[in-house]
Amino acid sequence: MNPKEPGFSTKAIHAGQEPEKLTGAVTVPIYQSTTYAQHTLGEHVKYDYGRTINPTREAWETSIAALENGKFGYAFATGMSAIAAAMSVTKPGEHVIAGSDMYGGTYRYFSKILEPLGVEFSYVHMGEIEDIKGHIKKNTRLIYAETPTNPMMNLTDLRALGVLAKNAGLLTIVDNTFMSPYLQQPLDLGIEIVVHSATKYLGGHSDVLGGAVVTSNTEIAEKIKFYQNAYGAVPSPFDCWLLLRSVKTLALRMDAHSRNARIIAGHLAKDHQIKKIFYPGLPTHPQHDLARAQMKDFGGMISIDTGSIENARKFTGALKYFTLGESLGGVESLVCHPLTMTHGSVPEARRNELGITPGLVRLSVGVEDVADLMEDIERGLEAI
Ligand code: PLP
């Protein structure tokens, strides 16, 4: 009998996290050593130098690969360094199709660093696969998508994207930060490379920066591994340990985030002061059916248009439990104003096109008691 594939939470608790051999410790030790004793000249040992390999990092890489149903996982110091590593599969002269709507820092990296180096980009709305097709050129190498997007909560049909890319001989990279592997598994839908800001839901407690790249493609994995060692933006053993601890509760947290966000989104959708609400869990979201098809649940991120920067200021200023701050995905609720915070580096014309208005506010709904969060939201609405 073939052994049954363990469930998500079983993998989150056990993959890469077996009891340690020497003492039986049930949590992975933090191997702080930067170097390792070698036996004799020219005889290769598995563990040699901390930038290249570290046992705590190796455990975290095994864990994240298993959670994304991938063969190879690579850990980075931040989400941005993971994205840079994934993008190392392209080179000057090649063309990349990227979502026009994505995290501002990713756009900044593409437009301010890769473009001047000679990588060509087309920024395309990724809602319709047919629209993407029209942008494929002779030198196109890959398609980069974020789904749902930060902060407009637009989706890309991952299965259709995978098919399009395979038929055209292109690579695909998907940023799965907003969903986490518990709610969405892009590799299973035909995507080649998944990237994460582990700083968000994977870490989940706003106390660790991290990034990850996962793939099942051996050739790509070798490139990412080479880049990881050559560039050196690796996380510390302690950060890897924090991430190993965090993912054990990922499913519990994502269920709670999704449950709270669904209740809050339902309430905000009915409030006449809110001009627009962007949450894929609402039947009014234009891609709600796609969300139901490719996501297990809808996650904890909601964006709302309050109508003006004054309203955004009043709303965010009245909140007690939603802390005004950058980042997302922690157990504590956060609220952010994309225009002045996370998406400041996106040019005004593009922001207007995307709907990142002065009144847009992004909520990262935490796992506090939902009654308290609802009271908080009421306080915000009353202040408008
Ligand atoms: N991808 C998304 C969707 C993000 O929201 C962020 C950060 O907010 C990043 C990537 C970058 O991650 P990090 O801040 O860990 O470098």
Side-chain angles (χ1 to χ4, degrees), residues 19-67:
E20 190 252 346
K21 297 236 167 28
L22 183 66
T23 63
V26 295
T27 58
V28 174
I30 302 169
Y31 288 91
Q32 198 59 37
S33 189
T34 54
T35 190
Y36 303 82
Q38 306 203 11
H39 310 304
T40 184
L41 296 192
E43 188 185 301
H44 180 73
V45 287
K46 178 176 175 190
Y47 299 102
D48 49 8
Y49 183 58
R51 170 163 39 76
T52 315
I53 186 166
N54 170 281
T56 318
R57 190 173 91 216
E58 199 181 19
W60 162 230
E61 291 178 332
T62 304
S63 167
I64 187 62
L67 296 183

Side-chain angles (χ1 to χ4, degrees), residues 3 6 25 40 55 69 159 167 197 202 226 230 270 280 286 291 321 341 362 365 369 382:
T40 184
N69 290 337
R159 202 180 286 282
N167 290 341
S197 167
L202 294 173
F226 181 84
K270 286 191 222 119
Y321 295 118
M341 295 164 78
R362 190 191 74 186
V365 179
D369 289 294
E382 270 166 29

Side-chain angles (χ1 to χ4, degrees), residues 77-83 102-106 144 146 148-150 175-178 195-200 208-211 326-328 342-343 362:
T78 60
M80 284 319 305
S81 50
I83 290 169
M102 60 185 166
Y103 170 57
T106 308
Y144 184 102
E146 202 176 280
T149 58
N150 180 1
D175 184 332
N176 201 23
T177 299
F178 265 36
V195 293
H196 274 284
S197 167
T199 314
K200 310 300 178 331
V208 57
L209 290 168
E326 309 240 355
S327 203
L328 59 104
T342 48
H343 287 68
R362 190 191 74 186

Side-chain angles (χ1 to χ4, degrees), residues 198-218:
T199 314
K200 310 300 178 331
Y201 287 108
L202 294 173
H205 297 72
S206 305
D207 57 7
V208 57
L209 290 168
V213 179
V214 182
T215 185
S216 290
N217 180 318
T218 312

